Each structure stands twice: as C-alpha cells, then as structure tokens.
Amino acid sequence: MQDGYRMPGEFEPHQGCIMIFPERPDSWQYGAYAARKAFVEIAKVIADSEQVTVCASASQYDNARAALPAHIRVVEMSSNDSWARDYAPTFVKNNAGELRGVDWGFNAWGGLYDGLYFPWDKDNQMARKLCDLFEKDVYDKRDFILEGGSIHVDGQGTCIVTDPCLLGKGRNPQMTKKEIEETLCRYLGVSVVIWLPCGIYNDETNEHVDNICAFTAPGQVVLAWTEDRSDVQYEMSTACLETLEQSRDAAGRKLKVHKLPLPKPVTITKEECEGLDFCDGEPTRTPGERLAASYVNFYIANKNVVMPGFGDAMDKLARETLQELFPDRRVIQIYARDILIGGGNIHCITQQIPAQGC
Ligand code: KQY
C-alpha cells in the first residue's frame, strides 16, 4: 500500500478475533441449534489466547450472551448471515504497528449473477461498523467486490487467490485480471499474486482459496490433497500443485507445499436437507449433494490452531500433519459438519484482528 500498510499473515500475533452468531434457517439446519453449539465451542478455544468478539442479532443477543462465557465479548449487530471471514474488515498494519481496516464490497458471493442469497445489505455494512467499534480508520473500497476467504497472504508481500473466484462474472466483471491484481497489491500491501486455477469441487463461493490452500508460515503452504485419481478433486488439486511449484513468492523463494489430506467425499443427507428452510422459494441444498469439506479451512489463533473434523478416517492424519507444521501451537479439532452444511468452515466464520504495535 502506498502509505505503508500491509495485511499481516494469519500466523502473526493477534489482538483478537471476530465471529457472528448463526441463526439463518436456510443456511443452518434445524434452526441453527447445532451450528450455534459448534460456534460456541470454536469461540471458546480461540478465546484461550485472544479476545473474541461475537456479533449477535437483537433477537439472538440474550441467547448468545448466555451461551458464551463472560470473557467473550458479545455485541449486538445485525447481519444477513454469519461469515465473518468474508465481510468483517481485512485489517492492515503499518511499520509503526498501527491498524486500519479495508471495507471491501460484499454481494453474497456473486450478487444477482450467481450470489447465494438476497439481500446482503447488512453483511455489507459490517466492515464499517466493526471498524467504528474497534476505533480503526477505514479504507472504503466498496467499489471492489471481495470476500476475506478469497485471499490468503504471507504478510511478506505474497497473496494467493483462485481464478474462478476473483475472475468470476458475479464480482468485478468490468475489471481485467491485471486491474484486479493491482487492486490487491495496493490494498493488501503485496507485490506478488499467485493465481490458483481452482479450489475445492462444488465450493459454492466460486472456490475460495481458504478451502484449498493456506500459508502456514512465510514460504510454506498447505494444499488440500487426495490420492484418489477417480475423484474430480484429484485433477483440481494437481493443477494447483503445479502452479504452486512453479511460483516464487515476493521474497523470491520457491514455496514448500505440504499436502493436507482431504476427507472422503462428504454428502448431505435427506434428513439434513429437511431441516433447512427455503431461500427465495428454492431449497438451498439437495440430498446427496457433495459438500466442500476440507481440513485447510482452519483458523490460526495465537496459541492454538482450530481445525475442522468430519468424523472421517482422515481426521487423525490431517490433525497430525497440521500439528507438525505448527509446533508452537496446539492443534484442536472440532467436529464441524454443522458448519460445513452452511457452506463453509472454521476459517470462514472467523476474522483475525492483528495485534497493534510492532
Ligand atoms: O466463505 C464461505 N465459505 C461462506 C459461504 C456461505 C454461503 C452461504 N450458504
């Protein structure tokens, strides 16, 4: 950024984390009871090492306050759903350790072209409200549509994104790839953007990067991986591996790519679908539909890494793999099927606030 701000890597120290209490009945099955339990469990783990702020609607405020321990802050704030990663601010920091927030435009993952719900106006107001709440100056970049889950940075000048998301017709169709890249460079303080050809199969966000690939440290990434050549994901992950292996980061390093196994394909059941309300008269899921399950969708807290589990045979290997990559943090796995049904996972429902100061 021209005035010296950059988005820190998620593995750098945090001041806190923002989450939003879930309630939307076409996203979260059976009135969101199970999803709320999972959110509470995740918030408690994160709050072991950083200040967690949970935004709750007026109607859920009492419930959230009662369900969450006193050291977790609950503030009343309206939203359309609960994806803090995507519409809480992207915080950037300068060399003096000062923070500002970037307020991107949000249109529910594709607006009227291929977005997932309407309206999204309350979600789109959240970044500004949160910057006001945390007393941070704001870069108003609402003329550029971007979700926080569609970018991952190393804090040292490199950003990873996916083609189908950033180049999708539902976001910034008037811009060229070069112009999109220049916008990322300017507002995230990066100089290199790595474009992955795809994300996770059937990921309704147009394949957000945060479900397929994440930095674990500068120069190191995890990539969601399957050895099953008959799985459509095999070619997708292979294509991403080739791109990553051919890339250099902003420091000129080749990236070390760690393969993180995927669970066996996870599909939604008839009973789960029956627990979801309709959205605009249409079902949001159909029985047997494959969900975009991936262990890459984890959150790096100051002392823990909070990762999803699916009750799958790969849960253990995925946890052990991440534990080796984060020797100074405790990796905690939380059963996250009820979040996955909503269309995302632990990374998608959290947004870090970097620590102030150097
Ligand atoms: O960032 C995400 N993965 C959230 C997608 C939610 C879509 C609404 N069902």
Side-chain angles (χ1 to χ4, degrees), residues 27 81 83 85-86 109 116-117 149 203-205 208 210 285 297 341-345 348:
S27 284
D81 203 356
W83 306 100
R85 174 63 48 186
D86 289 342
W109 309 274
L116 299 173
Y117 53 67
D203 185 329
E204 64 188 359
T205 63
H208 270 182
D210 72 345
R285 304 257 177 261
N297 213 303
I341 288 171
N345 224 305
C348 308

Side-chain angles (χ1 to χ4, degrees), residues 205-216:
T205 63
N206 306 99
E207 302 170 35
H208 270 182
V209 71
D210 72 345
N211 216 16
I212 179 101
C213 182
F215 282 105
T216 55

Side-chain angles (χ1 to χ4, degrees), residues 14-236:
H14 299 175
Q15 167 190 323
C17 176
I18 298 164
M19 297 177 71
I20 308 166
F21 213 54
E23 62 177 294
R24 189 182 168 105
D26 56 1
S27 284
W28 313 102
Q29 53 156 345
Y30 294 102
Y33 289 96
R36 283 198 284 272
K37 292 227 169 343
F39 272 59
V40 167
E41 216 183 321
I42 290 160
K44 283 180 180 169
V45 173
I46 297 172
D48 280 347
S49 61
E50 55 196 59
Q51 172 71 66
V52 175
T53 300
V54 176
C55 303
S57 70
S59 56
Q60 277 294 323
Y61 176 81
D62 279 341
N63 193 32
R65 187 58 287 168
L68 290 156
H71 62 286
I72 292 181
R73 300 201 318 167
V74 181
V75 295
E76 185 189 318
M77 196 176 287
S78 50
S79 68
N80 301 103
D81 203 356
S82 307
W83 306 100
R85 174 63 48 186
D86 289 342
Y87 36 86
T90 296
F91 289 101
V92 290
K93 183 169 169 174
N94 69 8
N95 285 339
E98 295 160 338
L99 294 185
R100 290 180 180 168
V102 185
D103 179 5
W104 313 103
F106 177 76
N107 70 356
W109 309 274
L112 298 182
Y113 179 74
D114 62 352
L116 299 173
Y117 53 67
F118 177 88
W120 52 79
D121 55 327
K122 294 189 176 68
D123 293 339
N124 198 23
Q125 290 170 343
M126 286 196 98
R128 182 58 187 258
K129 290 182 182 175
L130 286 158
C131 284
D132 286 347
L133 181 69
F134 288 100
E135 296 180 35
K136 298 291 167 259
D137 285 343
V138 184
Y139 291 98
D140 181 352
K141 197 54 188 160
R142 287 172 297 168
D143 64 345
F144 182 70
I145 302 296
L146 186 96
E147 303 94 47
S150 70
I151 50 171
H152 253 308
V153 298
D154 65 356
Q156 298 188 357
T158 317
C159 176
I160 306 183
V161 299
T162 66
D163 290 348
C165 182
L166 275 278
L167 303 180
K169 287 200 170 68
R171 290 181 174 78
N172 302 289
Q174 76 290 359
M175 293 175 79
T176 63
K177 184 171 181 177
K178 188 165 172 281
E179 287 167 340
I180 291 172
E181 192 163 311
E182 282 166 359
T183 304
L184 296 175
C185 289
R186 179 149 182 235
Y187 283 84
L188 299 174
V190 300
S191 56
V192 168
V193 179
I194 298 173
W195 293 82
L196 299 182
C198 52
I200 291 289
Y201 174 70
N202 223 20
D203 185 329
E204 64 188 359
T205 63
N206 306 99
E207 302 170 35
H208 270 182
V209 71
D210 72 345
N211 216 16
I212 179 101
C213 182
F215 282 105
T216 55
Q220 302 207 38
V221 294
V222 282
L223 174 67
W225 188 256
T226 176
E227 295 292 347
D228 180 359
R229 289 171 181 257
S230 69
D231 185 340
V232 60
Q233 186 62 46
Y234 181 83
E235 272 190 28
M236 296 172 81

